[in-house]
Amino acid sequence: MQSIPTFTSIIEAAERIKSFTTRTPVLQSAWFNDQTGAELFFKCENFQKVGAFKFRGACNAISKLPVSEGKKGIVTHSSGNHAQAVALAAKLNGYKATIVMPENAPNVKVAAVKGYGAEIVFCESTIDAREETAQQIVHETGATFIHPYNYPDVIAGQGTAAKELLEEVPELDAIIAPVGGGGLMSGTLIAAKAMKPGIRVFGAEPELADDAYRSLQSGKIEPVLRTDTIADGLRTSLGELTFRIIQTHIDDLVTVSETSIVREMKNTWERMKIIIEPSCAVPVAALMERKIQVKGMKVGIIITGGNVDLESLPWM
Amino acid sequence: MQSIPTFTSIIEAAERIKSFTTRTPVLQSAWFNDQTGAELFFKCENFQKVGAFKFRGACNAISKLPVSEGKKGIVTHSSGNHAQAVALAAKLNGYKATIVMPENAPNVKVAAVKGYGAEIVFCESTIDAREETAQQIVHETGATFIHPYNYPDVIAGQGTAAKELLEEVPELDAIIAPVGGGGLMSGTLIAAKAMKPGIRVFGAEPELADDAYRSLQSGKIEPVLRTDTIADGLRTSLGELTFRIIQTHIDDLVTVSETSIVREMKNTWERMKIIIEPSCAVPVAALMERKIQVKGMKVGIIITGGNVDLESLPWM
């Protein structure tokens, strides 16, 4: 069983990745404040390298490897932001990355990963095929496998976003973030509860991918049952490590409809002039629909990423 | 003849509008740096109140009025960002604003202005009808007419964007901004040349609205000949005051094609995850097409606004 990262490991991660990452700005919106009756602070990880918070975790995990291990290469399987994050973090450390992607991955994602100099190995589009292919590469080359969330150094890296947010806005009463595999939420919980013990930390999920909600209810990891939510970053189930952390520390977790995800994605684009991917709109929707009581509170929202196909927008 | 605002009036403007405006962030992009061989600093006025730098000028002009004048009301004619800027600035000062708009103005613009509590008076869609209607209201009510650019207090307000940019990045070698009516460029020239005498200031225009380019060539104000550029904020001709300032101080002014405006607008959305309107992409296009030599330089770009109809994007 992997051990839960400490706040010290998040402080160390912040130091380790500082020169590689962007210290992303925290933006406010008078309109969203009016609508929610709260004061909201958007931590803009859509402005992070590779366009998503995922770079923090991948960069911490890869930079922390002994050089002798890194030289054997880095492997992961992903067709999303984690793939680009691993590719860039490996490149910046001078290591070779191999990304296992399903053969039906969109060209734009494949091109982005290649653009960071990683090698791509295609496989069948099942989770079993992806894991097997990645494990085979590990076996053959001695490369290190970087799991997208169920990995202590990745979780510690993701926690640096909440750390920066609380450094910039120490008076926050609460933080809200989306829950997919749970890496961001785990890092956020560890950082926030250590820095400000009284703070409340909330999670939000699409109704169509409410596995974390069900897992908290049943007390064991429940799998995602469908993968058709528009919030493509949140289609994964929790891991053993992230479930343990979330189960212990989270204050509340709510779900929102697809309609409200699209509506708040568009509202955020229109009102804040920032490009956010659908996953980011999930916590915004939770606040706008008053699924969580935040009236009069100062609330941080972690905006997770901005990688969207601009040729095909969900409201068109 | 109106007198050219001094840098002192920009300092005073900055103080006057401070509590009303957003101090907008300055963002960078590794991708655009790579592409241009320069180090670029984007001053994000798309995050300004009403989504555009125009709020600075309107807010300065209206806040500076004696209360006895302001109480008689504020008038302007515009269907663009200046209309919203005047409406909000009047509201914040407790004055009544009347905006003259062409009867074919898009509903979304009309709704935005109404949302700030202004009264709208519709007229025929000619510049003569708009000016006449506005003058009639001035005549009847004693309201103050706030011109969108040919107005010293508006120019002083617009100059506060460049002032903030140079305070944050004092090592800039150059600043580039788009030229429409010339209010932003005039304020930028006055602020930049006063704060850093050696700095170079460049302008950029659409080829389809190259009136400032032709005016600099001929030595007199040349009108815009067509109004079909996608850069809807730049379809206006220079004013007497803005022409004088630009003619005296600008280092160079270049024009770019519609194709490259759309391309760089999309590149900015994709790479920087910010929503910019087409006018903002005009200086970006000038740098990307190497119309101005900036290799190895630190260059500030004023991103003018982010008001775009998300239902109809130019690349779709």
Side-chain angles (χ1 to χ4, degrees), chain A residues 46-47 266 269-270 272-275 306-307 310-311 313 315-316, chain B residues 46-47 266 269-270 272-275 306-307 310-311 313 315-316:
Chain A
N46 49 339
F47 299 154
K266 191 175 179 208
W269 286 42
E270 258 175 13
M272 298 189 65
K273 317 299 181 191
I274 60 176
I275 291 177
N307 292 326
L310 294 176
E311 303 286 346
L313 299 176
W315 51 80
M316 296 187 86
Chain B
N46 49 338
F47 299 155
K266 191 175 179 209
W269 286 41
E270 256 174 15
M272 298 188 66
K273 316 300 181 190
I274 60 176
I275 291 177
N307 292 326
L310 294 176
E311 303 285 347
L313 298 175
W315 52 79
M316 296 186 86

PDB file of all heavy atoms in Angstrom, chain A residues 46-47 266 269-270 272-275 306-307 310-311 313 315-316, chain B residues 46-47 266 269-270 272-275 306-307 310-311 313 315-316:
ATOM      1  N   ASN A  46      -5.450  26.608 -16.294  1.00  0.00           N
ATOM      2  CA  ASN A  46      -5.515  26.574 -17.758  1.00  0.00           C
ATOM      3  C   ASN A  46      -4.328  27.336 -18.364  1.00  0.00           C
ATOM      4  O   ASN A  46      -3.970  27.100 -19.512  1.00  0.00           O
ATOM      5  CB  ASN A  46      -6.850  27.136 -18.275  1.00  0.00           C
ATOM      6  CG  ASN A  46      -7.227  28.476 -17.668  1.00  0.00           C
ATOM      7  OD1 ASN A  46      -6.748  28.842 -16.595  1.00  0.00           O
ATOM      8  ND2 ASN A  46      -8.091  29.211 -18.328  1.00  0.00           N
ATOM      9  N   PHE A  47      -3.710  28.216 -17.580  1.00  0.00           N
ATOM     10  CA  PHE A  47      -2.514  28.924 -18.052  1.00  0.00           C
ATOM     11  C   PHE A  47      -1.220  28.175 -17.702  1.00  0.00           C
ATOM     12  O   PHE A  47      -0.125  28.676 -17.942  1.00  0.00           O
ATOM     13  CB  PHE A  47      -2.434  30.331 -17.452  1.00  0.00           C
ATOM     14  CG  PHE A  47      -3.594  31.234 -17.796  1.00  0.00           C
ATOM     15  CD1 PHE A  47      -3.942  32.286 -16.954  1.00  0.00           C
ATOM     16  CD2 PHE A  47      -4.330  31.052 -18.960  1.00  0.00           C
ATOM     17  CE1 PHE A  47      -4.996  33.135 -17.264  1.00  0.00           C
ATOM     18  CE2 PHE A  47      -5.397  31.891 -19.274  1.00  0.00           C
ATOM     19  CZ  PHE A  47      -5.734  32.938 -18.430  1.00  0.00           C
ATOM     20  N   LYS A 266     -19.695  28.050 -20.788  1.00  0.00           N
ATOM     21  CA  LYS A 266     -19.903  29.203 -21.677  1.00  0.00           C
ATOM     22  C   LYS A 266     -19.922  30.511 -20.882  1.00  0.00           C
ATOM     23  O   LYS A 266     -19.357  31.525 -21.309  1.00  0.00           O
ATOM     24  CB  LYS A 266     -21.209  29.025 -22.456  1.00  0.00           C
ATOM     25  CG  LYS A 266     -21.337  30.040 -23.573  1.00  0.00           C
ATOM     26  CD  LYS A 266     -22.569  29.813 -24.429  1.00  0.00           C
ATOM     27  CE  LYS A 266     -22.658  30.879 -25.506  1.00  0.00           C
ATOM     28  NZ  LYS A 266     -24.046  31.141 -25.909  1.00  0.00           N
ATOM     29  N   TRP A 269     -16.371  31.503 -20.179  1.00  0.00           N
ATOM     30  CA  TRP A 269     -15.737  32.083 -21.373  1.00  0.00           C
ATOM     31  C   TRP A 269     -16.213  33.521 -21.578  1.00  0.00           C
ATOM     32  O   TRP A 269     -15.411  34.423 -21.802  1.00  0.00           O
ATOM     33  CB  TRP A 269     -16.099  31.259 -22.626  1.00  0.00           C
ATOM     34  CG  TRP A 269     -15.423  29.938 -22.768  1.00  0.00           C
ATOM     35  CD1 TRP A 269     -15.191  29.006 -21.788  1.00  0.00           C
ATOM     36  CD2 TRP A 269     -14.895  29.360 -23.982  1.00  0.00           C
ATOM     37  NE1 TRP A 269     -14.567  27.904 -22.322  1.00  0.00           N
ATOM     38  CE2 TRP A 269     -14.379  28.094 -23.667  1.00  0.00           C
ATOM     39  CE3 TRP A 269     -14.837  29.797 -25.303  1.00  0.00           C
ATOM     40  CZ2 TRP A 269     -13.801  27.249 -24.623  1.00  0.00           C
ATOM     41  CZ3 TRP A 269     -14.258  28.959 -26.261  1.00  0.00           C
ATOM     42  CH2 TRP A 269     -13.745  27.705 -25.921  1.00  0.00           C
ATOM     43  N   GLU A 270     -17.553  33.702 -21.501  1.00  0.00           N
ATOM     44  CA  GLU A 270     -18.140  35.009 -21.811  1.00  0.00           C
ATOM     45  C   GLU A 270     -17.808  36.074 -20.786  1.00  0.00           C
ATOM     46  O   GLU A 270     -17.521  37.209 -21.128  1.00  0.00           O
ATOM     47  CB  GLU A 270     -19.672  34.883 -21.886  1.00  0.00           C
ATOM     48  CG  GLU A 270     -20.170  34.850 -23.292  1.00  0.00           C
ATOM     49  CD  GLU A 270     -21.674  34.592 -23.362  1.00  0.00           C
ATOM     50  OE1 GLU A 270     -22.376  34.675 -22.328  1.00  0.00           O
ATOM     51  OE2 GLU A 270     -22.139  34.282 -24.454  1.00  0.00           O
ATOM     52  N   MET A 272     -15.490  35.871 -18.122  1.00  0.00           N
ATOM     53  CA  MET A 272     -14.111  35.993 -17.639  1.00  0.00           C
ATOM     54  C   MET A 272     -13.084  36.044 -18.762  1.00  0.00           C
ATOM     55  O   MET A 272     -11.915  36.303 -18.508  1.00  0.00           O
ATOM     56  CB  MET A 272     -13.804  34.854 -16.658  1.00  0.00           C
ATOM     57  CG  MET A 272     -14.698  34.916 -15.416  1.00  0.00           C
ATOM     58  SD  MET A 272     -14.177  33.752 -14.141  1.00  0.00           S
ATOM     59  CE  MET A 272     -12.569  34.407 -13.693  1.00  0.00           C
ATOM     60  N   LYS A 273     -13.521  35.742 -19.969  1.00  0.00           N
ATOM     61  CA  LYS A 273     -12.631  35.805 -21.145  1.00  0.00           C
ATOM     62  C   LYS A 273     -11.479  34.818 -21.023  1.00  0.00           C
ATOM     63  O   LYS A 273     -10.378  35.073 -21.497  1.00  0.00           O
ATOM     64  CB  LYS A 273     -12.076  37.217 -21.375  1.00  0.00           C
ATOM     65  CG  LYS A 273     -13.065  38.338 -21.217  1.00  0.00           C
ATOM     66  CD  LYS A 273     -14.220  38.250 -22.189  1.00  0.00           C
ATOM     67  CE  LYS A 273     -15.170  39.430 -21.992  1.00  0.00           C
ATOM     68  NZ  LYS A 273     -16.420  39.214 -22.747  1.00  0.00           N
ATOM     69  N   ILE A 274     -11.730  33.707 -20.344  1.00  0.00           N
ATOM     70  CA  ILE A 274     -10.721  32.651 -20.290  1.00  0.00           C
ATOM     71  C   ILE A 274     -11.302  31.376 -20.880  1.00  0.00           C
ATOM     72  O   ILE A 274     -12.509  31.133 -20.799  1.00  0.00           O
ATOM     73  CB  ILE A 274     -10.201  32.377 -18.857  1.00  0.00           C
ATOM     74  CG1 ILE A 274     -11.324  31.952 -17.916  1.00  0.00           C
ATOM     75  CG2 ILE A 274      -9.466  33.599 -18.306  1.00  0.00           C
ATOM     76  CD1 ILE A 274     -10.849  31.576 -16.520  1.00  0.00           C
ATOM     77  N   ILE A 275     -10.424  30.598 -21.507  1.00  0.00           N
ATOM     78  CA  ILE A 275     -10.836  29.346 -22.109  1.00  0.00           C
ATOM     79  C   ILE A 275     -10.630  28.233 -21.090  1.00  0.00           C
ATOM     80  O   ILE A 275      -9.504  27.985 -20.650  1.00  0.00           O
ATOM     81  CB  ILE A 275     -10.055  29.105 -23.401  1.00  0.00           C
ATOM     82  CG1 ILE A 275     -10.536  30.136 -24.425  1.00  0.00           C
ATOM     83  CG2 ILE A 275     -10.239  27.673 -23.908  1.00  0.00           C
ATOM     84  CD1 ILE A 275      -9.852  30.107 -25.738  1.00  0.00           C
ATOM     85  N   GLY A 306      -7.332  24.100 -19.964  1.00  0.00           N
ATOM     86  CA  GLY A 306      -7.968  24.843 -21.045  1.00  0.00           C
ATOM     87  C   GLY A 306      -7.796  24.192 -22.407  1.00  0.00           C
ATOM     88  O   GLY A 306      -7.838  24.886 -23.426  1.00  0.00           O
ATOM     89  N   ASN A 307      -7.619  22.883 -22.414  1.00  0.00           N
ATOM     90  CA  ASN A 307      -7.411  22.212 -23.696  1.00  0.00           C
ATOM     91  C   ASN A 307      -8.743  21.777 -24.302  1.00  0.00           C
ATOM     92  O   ASN A 307      -9.353  20.806 -23.867  1.00  0.00           O
ATOM     93  CB  ASN A 307      -6.452  21.038 -23.527  1.00  0.00           C
ATOM     94  CG  ASN A 307      -5.051  21.533 -23.205  1.00  0.00           C
ATOM     95  OD1 ASN A 307      -4.632  22.590 -23.689  1.00  0.00           O
ATOM     96  ND2 ASN A 307      -4.326  20.804 -22.370  1.00  0.00           N
ATOM     97  N   LEU A 310     -11.231  23.911 -30.490  1.00  0.00           N
ATOM     98  CA  LEU A 310     -11.946  25.154 -30.815  1.00  0.00           C
ATOM     99  C   LEU A 310     -12.816  25.025 -32.066  1.00  0.00           C
ATOM    100  O   LEU A 310     -13.602  25.912 -32.370  1.00  0.00           O
ATOM    101  CB  LEU A 310     -10.956  26.304 -31.014  1.00  0.00           C
ATOM    102  CG  LEU A 310     -10.177  26.737 -29.769  1.00  0.00           C
ATOM    103  CD1 LEU A 310      -9.168  27.808 -30.131  1.00  0.00           C
ATOM    104  CD2 LEU A 310     -11.120  27.242 -28.687  1.00  0.00           C
ATOM    105  N   GLU A 311     -12.686  23.916 -32.761  1.00  0.00           N
ATOM    106  CA  GLU A 311     -13.515  23.692 -33.956  1.00  0.00           C
ATOM    107  C   GLU A 311     -14.867  23.104 -33.575  1.00  0.00           C
ATOM    108  O   GLU A 311     -15.773  23.041 -34.396  1.00  0.00           O
ATOM    109  CB  GLU A 311     -12.818  22.710 -34.925  1.00  0.00           C
ATOM    110  CG  GLU A 311     -11.440  23.114 -35.373  1.00  0.00           C
ATOM    111  CD  GLU A 311     -11.459  24.253 -36.393  1.00  0.00           C
ATOM    112  OE1 GLU A 311     -12.538  24.545 -36.940  1.00  0.00           O
ATOM    113  OE2 GLU A 311     -10.391  24.838 -36.624  1.00  0.00           O
ATOM    114  N   LEU A 313     -17.396  23.292 -30.362  1.00  0.00           N
ATOM    115  CA  LEU A 313     -17.736  23.754 -29.015  1.00  0.00           C
ATOM    116  C   LEU A 313     -19.099  23.217 -28.617  1.00  0.00           C
ATOM    117  O   LEU A 313     -20.002  23.130 -29.455  1.00  0.00           O
ATOM    118  CB  LEU A 313     -17.711  25.283 -28.987  1.00  0.00           C
ATOM    119  CG  LEU A 313     -16.326  25.848 -29.330  1.00  0.00           C
ATOM    120  CD1 LEU A 313     -16.356  27.367 -29.398  1.00  0.00           C
ATOM    121  CD2 LEU A 313     -15.294  25.382 -28.311  1.00  0.00           C
ATOM    122  N   TRP A 315     -21.683  24.236 -27.194  1.00  0.00           N
ATOM    123  CA  TRP A 315     -22.943  24.987 -27.287  1.00  0.00           C
ATOM    124  C   TRP A 315     -23.313  25.277 -28.742  1.00  0.00           C
ATOM    125  O   TRP A 315     -24.261  26.005 -29.001  1.00  0.00           O
ATOM    126  CB  TRP A 315     -22.855  26.293 -26.496  1.00  0.00           C
ATOM    127  CG  TRP A 315     -21.664  27.124 -26.819  1.00  0.00           C
ATOM    128  CD1 TRP A 315     -21.493  27.957 -27.889  1.00  0.00           C
ATOM    129  CD2 TRP A 315     -20.466  27.202 -26.060  1.00  0.00           C
ATOM    130  NE1 TRP A 315     -20.257  28.523 -27.840  1.00  0.00           N
ATOM    131  CE2 TRP A 315     -19.608  28.096 -26.721  1.00  0.00           C
ATOM    132  CE3 TRP A 315     -20.024  26.609 -24.865  1.00  0.00           C
ATOM    133  CZ2 TRP A 315     -18.326  28.394 -26.244  1.00  0.00           C
ATOM    134  CZ3 TRP A 315     -18.757  26.919 -24.402  1.00  0.00           C
ATOM    135  CH2 TRP A 315     -17.937  27.806 -25.093  1.00  0.00           C
ATOM    136  N   MET A 316     -22.528  24.748 -29.678  1.00  0.00           N
ATOM    137  CA  MET A 316     -22.825  25.094 -31.078  1.00  0.00           C
ATOM    138  C   MET A 316     -23.500  23.939 -31.809  1.00  0.00           C
ATOM    139  O   MET A 316     -23.370  22.804 -31.460  1.00  0.00           O
ATOM    140  CB  MET A 316     -21.545  25.498 -31.773  1.00  0.00           C
ATOM    141  CG  MET A 316     -20.991  26.747 -31.146  1.00  0.00           C
ATOM    142  SD  MET A 316     -19.573  27.428 -32.019  1.00  0.00           S
ATOM    143  CE  MET A 316     -20.398  28.407 -33.237  1.00  0.00           C
TER     144      MET A 316
ATOM    145  N   ASN B  46      -8.571  42.436 -21.968  1.00  0.00           N
ATOM    146  CA  ASN B  46      -9.796  41.643 -22.115  1.00  0.00           C
ATOM    147  C   ASN B  46     -10.369  41.277 -20.746  1.00  0.00           C
ATOM    148  O   ASN B  46     -11.542  40.988 -20.628  1.00  0.00           O
ATOM    149  CB  ASN B  46      -9.549  40.378 -22.964  1.00  0.00           C
ATOM    150  CG  ASN B  46      -8.335  39.578 -22.527  1.00  0.00           C
ATOM    151  OD1 ASN B  46      -7.426  40.107 -21.866  1.00  0.00           O
ATOM    152  ND2 ASN B  46      -8.288  38.311 -22.875  1.00  0.00           N
ATOM    153  N   PHE B  47      -9.524  41.338 -19.703  1.00  0.00           N
ATOM    154  CA  PHE B  47     -10.006  41.082 -18.339  1.00  0.00           C
ATOM    155  C   PHE B  47     -10.464  42.380 -17.638  1.00  0.00           C
ATOM    156  O   PHE B  47     -10.812  42.357 -16.460  1.00  0.00           O
ATOM    157  CB  PHE B  47      -8.918  40.428 -17.476  1.00  0.00           C
ATOM    158  CG  PHE B  47      -8.433  39.087 -17.981  1.00  0.00           C
ATOM    159  CD1 PHE B  47      -7.164  38.629 -17.659  1.00  0.00           C
ATOM    160  CD2 PHE B  47      -9.241  38.273 -18.756  1.00  0.00           C
ATOM    161  CE1 PHE B  47      -6.708  37.393 -18.101  1.00  0.00           C
ATOM    162  CE2 PHE B  47      -8.793  37.031 -19.211  1.00  0.00           C
ATOM    163  CZ  PHE B  47      -7.521  36.593 -18.883  1.00  0.00           C
ATOM    164  N   LYS B 266      -7.026  32.785 -33.370  1.00  0.00           N
ATOM    165  CA  LYS B 266      -7.206  31.385 -32.971  1.00  0.00           C
ATOM    166  C   LYS B 266      -5.962  30.864 -32.245  1.00  0.00           C
ATOM    167  O   LYS B 266      -6.064  30.157 -31.235  1.00  0.00           O
ATOM    168  CB  LYS B 266      -7.513  30.528 -34.197  1.00  0.00           C
ATOM    169  CG  LYS B 266      -7.960  29.132 -33.815  1.00  0.00           C
ATOM    170  CD  LYS B 266      -8.371  28.307 -35.017  1.00  0.00           C
ATOM    171  CE  LYS B 266      -8.794  26.914 -34.568  1.00  0.00           C
ATOM    172  NZ  LYS B 266      -8.553  25.911 -35.616  1.00  0.00           N
ATOM    173  N   TRP B 269      -6.107  32.062 -28.676  1.00  0.00           N
ATOM    174  CA  TRP B 269      -7.070  31.268 -27.893  1.00  0.00           C
ATOM    175  C   TRP B 269      -6.456  29.920 -27.528  1.00  0.00           C
ATOM    176  O   TRP B 269      -6.511  29.488 -26.377  1.00  0.00           O
ATOM    177  CB  TRP B 269      -8.361  31.033 -28.695  1.00  0.00           C
ATOM    178  CG  TRP B 269      -9.278  32.209 -28.849  1.00  0.00           C
ATOM    179  CD1 TRP B 269      -8.934  33.515 -29.097  1.00  0.00           C
ATOM    180  CD2 TRP B 269     -10.720  32.191 -28.786  1.00  0.00           C
ATOM    181  NE1 TRP B 269     -10.055  34.290 -29.196  1.00  0.00           N
ATOM    182  CE2 TRP B 269     -11.169  33.504 -29.020  1.00  0.00           C
ATOM    183  CE3 TRP B 269     -11.660  31.185 -28.582  1.00  0.00           C
ATOM    184  CZ2 TRP B 269     -12.527  33.845 -29.030  1.00  0.00           C
ATOM    185  CZ3 TRP B 269     -13.012  31.523 -28.596  1.00  0.00           C
ATOM    186  CH2 TRP B 269     -13.442  32.832 -28.810  1.00  0.00           C
ATOM    187  N   GLU B 270      -5.884  29.258 -28.537  1.00  0.00           N
ATOM    188  CA  GLU B 270      -5.386  27.897 -28.341  1.00  0.00           C
ATOM    189  C   GLU B 270      -4.173  27.828 -27.438  1.00  0.00           C
ATOM    190  O   GLU B 270      -4.051  26.945 -26.592  1.00  0.00           O
ATOM    191  CB  GLU B 270      -5.001  27.291 -29.705  1.00  0.00           C
ATOM    192  CG  GLU B 270      -6.014  26.314 -30.203  1.00  0.00           C
ATOM    193  CD  GLU B 270      -5.702  25.827 -31.610  1.00  0.00           C
ATOM    194  OE1 GLU B 270      -4.562  26.028 -32.102  1.00  0.00           O
ATOM    195  OE2 GLU B 270      -6.604  25.263 -32.215  1.00  0.00           O
ATOM    196  N   MET B 272      -2.786  30.427 -25.479  1.00  0.00           N
ATOM    197  CA  MET B 272      -2.781  31.186 -24.229  1.00  0.00           C
ATOM    198  C   MET B 272      -4.039  30.992 -23.396  1.00  0.00           C
ATOM    199  O   MET B 272      -4.094  31.444 -22.256  1.00  0.00           O
ATOM    200  CB  MET B 272      -2.553  32.670 -24.523  1.00  0.00           C
ATOM    201  CG  MET B 272      -1.191  32.913 -25.181  1.00  0.00           C
ATOM    202  SD  MET B 272      -0.807  34.674 -25.333  1.00  0.00           S
ATOM    203  CE  MET B 272      -0.665  35.142 -23.595  1.00  0.00           C
ATOM    204  N   LYS B 273      -5.048  30.349 -23.980  1.00  0.00           N
ATOM    205  CA  LYS B 273      -6.302  30.065 -23.259  1.00  0.00           C
ATOM    206  C   LYS B 273      -7.003  31.347 -22.819  1.00  0.00           C
ATOM    207  O   LYS B 273      -7.654  31.381 -21.766  1.00  0.00           O
ATOM    208  CB  LYS B 273      -6.062  29.172 -22.028  1.00  0.00           C
ATOM    209  CG  LYS B 273      -5.126  28.010 -22.250  1.00  0.00           C
ATOM    210  CD  LYS B 273      -5.585  27.058 -23.313  1.00  0.00           C
ATOM    211  CE  LYS B 273      -4.592  25.897 -23.458  1.00  0.00           C
ATOM    212  NZ  LYS B 273      -4.913  25.097 -24.667  1.00  0.00           N
ATOM    213  N   ILE B 274      -6.816  32.405 -23.601  1.00  0.00           N
ATOM    214  CA  ILE B 274      -7.565  33.627 -23.318  1.00  0.00           C
ATOM    215  C   ILE B 274      -8.422  33.973 -24.527  1.00  0.00           C
ATOM    216  O   ILE B 274      -8.068  33.671 -25.667  1.00  0.00           O
ATOM    217  CB  ILE B 274      -6.648  34.833 -22.956  1.00  0.00           C
ATOM    218  CG1 ILE B 274      -5.683  35.167 -24.090  1.00  0.00           C
ATOM    219  CG2 ILE B 274      -5.902  34.555 -21.660  1.00  0.00           C
ATOM    220  CD1 ILE B 274      -4.830  36.405 -23.811  1.00  0.00           C
ATOM    221  N   ILE B 275      -9.577  34.586 -24.240  1.00  0.00           N
ATOM    222  CA  ILE B 275     -10.487  34.984 -25.301  1.00  0.00           C
ATOM    223  C   ILE B 275     -10.177  36.421 -25.672  1.00  0.00           C
ATOM    224  O   ILE B 275     -10.292  37.328 -24.838  1.00  0.00           O
ATOM    225  CB  ILE B 275     -11.940  34.797 -24.837  1.00  0.00           C
ATOM    226  CG1 ILE B 275     -12.197  33.287 -24.727  1.00  0.00           C
ATOM    227  CG2 ILE B 275     -12.915  35.475 -25.790  1.00  0.00           C
ATOM    228  CD1 ILE B 275     -13.547  32.906 -24.230  1.00  0.00           C
ATOM    229  N   GLY B 306     -12.104  41.437 -25.091  1.00  0.00           N
ATOM    230  CA  GLY B 306     -12.478  40.040 -25.271  1.00  0.00           C
ATOM    231  C   GLY B 306     -13.963  39.848 -25.549  1.00  0.00           C
ATOM    232  O   GLY B 306     -14.506  38.787 -25.265  1.00  0.00           O
ATOM    233  N   ASN B 307     -14.607  40.868 -26.116  1.00  0.00           N
ATOM    234  CA  ASN B 307     -16.044  40.743 -26.373  1.00  0.00           C
ATOM    235  C   ASN B 307     -16.293  40.158 -27.755  1.00  0.00           C
ATOM    236  O   ASN B 307     -16.149  40.830 -28.774  1.00  0.00           O
ATOM    237  CB  ASN B 307     -16.722  42.100 -26.208  1.00  0.00           C
ATOM    238  CG  ASN B 307     -16.704  42.530 -24.743  1.00  0.00           C
ATOM    239  OD1 ASN B 307     -16.799  41.691 -23.841  1.00  0.00           O
ATOM    240  ND2 ASN B 307     -16.551  43.814 -24.483  1.00  0.00           N
ATOM    241  N   LEU B 310     -19.744  34.189 -28.989  1.00  0.00           N
ATOM    242  CA  LEU B 310     -19.251  32.809 -28.932  1.00  0.00           C
ATOM    243  C   LEU B 310     -20.073  31.850 -29.798  1.00  0.00           C
ATOM    244  O   LEU B 310     -19.687  30.696 -29.990  1.00  0.00           O
ATOM    245  CB  LEU B 310     -19.243  32.301 -27.493  1.00  0.00           C
ATOM    246  CG  LEU B 310     -18.259  32.996 -26.546  1.00  0.00           C
ATOM    247  CD1 LEU B 310     -18.424  32.461 -25.126  1.00  0.00           C
ATOM    248  CD2 LEU B 310     -16.825  32.812 -27.003  1.00  0.00           C
ATOM    249  N   GLU B 311     -21.188  32.338 -30.320  1.00  0.00           N
ATOM    250  CA  GLU B 311     -22.010  31.493 -31.196  1.00  0.00           C
ATOM    251  C   GLU B 311     -21.497  31.535 -32.631  1.00  0.00           C
ATOM    252  O   GLU B 311     -21.913  30.742 -33.471  1.00  0.00           O
ATOM    253  CB  GLU B 311     -23.473  31.974 -31.198  1.00  0.00           C
ATOM    254  CG  GLU B 311     -24.132  32.036 -29.839  1.00  0.00           C
ATOM    255  CD  GLU B 311     -24.490  30.661 -29.300  1.00  0.00           C
ATOM    256  OE1 GLU B 311     -24.463  29.691 -30.061  1.00  0.00           O
ATOM    257  OE2 GLU B 311     -24.793  30.574 -28.092  1.00  0.00           O
ATOM    258  N   LEU B 313     -17.882  32.033 -34.494  1.00  0.00           N
ATOM    259  CA  LEU B 313     -16.444  32.284 -34.461  1.00  0.00           C
ATOM    260  C   LEU B 313     -15.894  32.292 -35.873  1.00  0.00           C
ATOM    261  O   LEU B 313     -16.337  31.515 -36.727  1.00  0.00           O
ATOM    262  CB  LEU B 313     -15.771  31.204 -33.607  1.00  0.00           C
ATOM    263  CG  LEU B 313     -16.267  31.219 -32.151  1.00  0.00           C
ATOM    264  CD1 LEU B 313     -15.675  30.066 -31.363  1.00  0.00           C
ATOM    265  CD2 LEU B 313     -15.928  32.552 -31.481  1.00  0.00           C
ATOM    266  N   TRP B 315     -13.394  31.234 -37.426  1.00  0.00           N
ATOM    267  CA  TRP B 315     -12.734  30.099 -38.072  1.00  0.00           C
ATOM    268  C   TRP B 315     -13.708  28.940 -38.314  1.00  0.00           C
ATOM    269  O   TRP B 315     -13.291  27.861 -38.723  1.00  0.00           O
ATOM    270  CB  TRP B 315     -11.532  29.620 -37.259  1.00  0.00           C
ATOM    271  CG  TRP B 315     -11.841  29.353 -35.821  1.00  0.00           C
ATOM    272  CD1 TRP B 315     -12.438  28.257 -35.280  1.00  0.00           C
ATOM    273  CD2 TRP B 315     -11.555  30.230 -34.724  1.00  0.00           C
ATOM    274  NE1 TRP B 315     -12.554  28.404 -33.929  1.00  0.00           N
ATOM    275  CE2 TRP B 315     -12.010  29.594 -33.554  1.00  0.00           C
ATOM    276  CE3 TRP B 315     -10.950  31.496 -34.619  1.00  0.00           C
ATOM    277  CZ2 TRP B 315     -11.889  30.188 -32.295  1.00  0.00           C
ATOM    278  CZ3 TRP B 315     -10.833  32.066 -33.366  1.00  0.00           C
ATOM    279  CH2 TRP B 315     -11.301  31.412 -32.228  1.00  0.00           C
ATOM    280  N   MET B 316     -14.977  29.142 -37.987  1.00  0.00           N
ATOM    281  CA  MET B 316     -15.908  28.013 -38.121  1.00  0.00           C
ATOM    282  C   MET B 316     -16.789  28.161 -39.355  1.00  0.00           C
ATOM    283  O   MET B 316     -17.027  29.226 -39.850  1.00  0.00           O
ATOM    284  CB  MET B 316     -16.738  27.899 -36.856  1.00  0.00           C
ATOM    285  CG  MET B 316     -15.851  27.579 -35.681  1.00  0.00           C
ATOM    286  SD  MET B 316     -16.745  27.253 -34.158  1.00  0.00           S
ATOM    287  CE  MET B 316     -17.086  25.520 -34.368  1.00  0.00           C
TER     288      MET B 316
END
